[in-house]
Amino acid sequence: MSVLRLDNIAIVVADLDAAIAFFAELGLEFEDRARIEGAWADRTVGLDGVRSEIAMMRTPDGRSRLELTQYHHPAASAPEPAIPPSNTLGLHRLMFAVDDLDDTVARLRPHGAEVLDEIVDYEDVYRLCYLRGPGGIIVALAEQVG
């Protein structure tokens, strides 16, 4: 037996509303929001007394989903350092293909997005950048130009 598909990627966030707004501005579509709690949740994630809220966002093509999770109990733990660098072990970043990189970055800035260094051209094929989104999440953007 093999994997059928990647169903979703989950990210723990401190402010669910801000994360929804950020990823909606990026172009993901809000799908659903739900409270998660109870013995089944405790057993699934290996924590006691889980009370959380999730929001499901999907890409416009409907093929990929992002789960945003805010824990109310137990409190989420912060990484060390609080804003980890790009080479930290674990989830590195999310990358999205966009049709207009400059416009996307401009729309995300009011939501707290900061480009890590600069927008670069890669071999006249892509324009790329890494930016920080809500809670320090690294989001990569790629615009195909060639």
Side-chain angles (χ1 to χ4, degrees), residues 20 23-24 27-34 54-58:
I20 291 168
F23 286 105
L28 275 69
E29 299 167 6
F30 176 79
E31 192 172 83
D32 197 11
R33 190 170 178 154
I54 65 169
M56 296 303 292
M57 309 287 292
R58 73 174 167 271

Side-chain angles (χ1 to χ4, degrees), residues 70-118:
Q70 181 176 0
Y71 280 88
H72 300 290
H73 186 270
S77 59
E80 286 295 328
I83 303 294
S86 299
N87 63 343
T88 301
L89 295 175
L91 180 64
H92 179 67
R93 53 118 176 106
L94 302 171
M95 179 174 256
F96 295 95
V98 298
D99 59 0
D100 185 333
L101 186 59
D102 295 318
D103 177 66
T104 303
V105 169
R107 288 185 298 104
L108 293 175
R109 279 200 167 111
H111 296 274
E114 296 178 24
V115 175
L116 293 187
D117 195 347
E118 63 182 281

Side-chain angles (χ1 to χ4, degrees), residues 15 29 34 44 54 63 66-68 71 78-79 84 100 114 129-130 141:
D15 184 335
E29 299 167 6
T44 301
I54 65 169
R63 299 174 113 185
L66 179 63
E67 176 185 309
L68 303 169
Y71 280 88
D100 185 333
E114 296 178 24
C129 74
Y130 277 20
L141 301 175

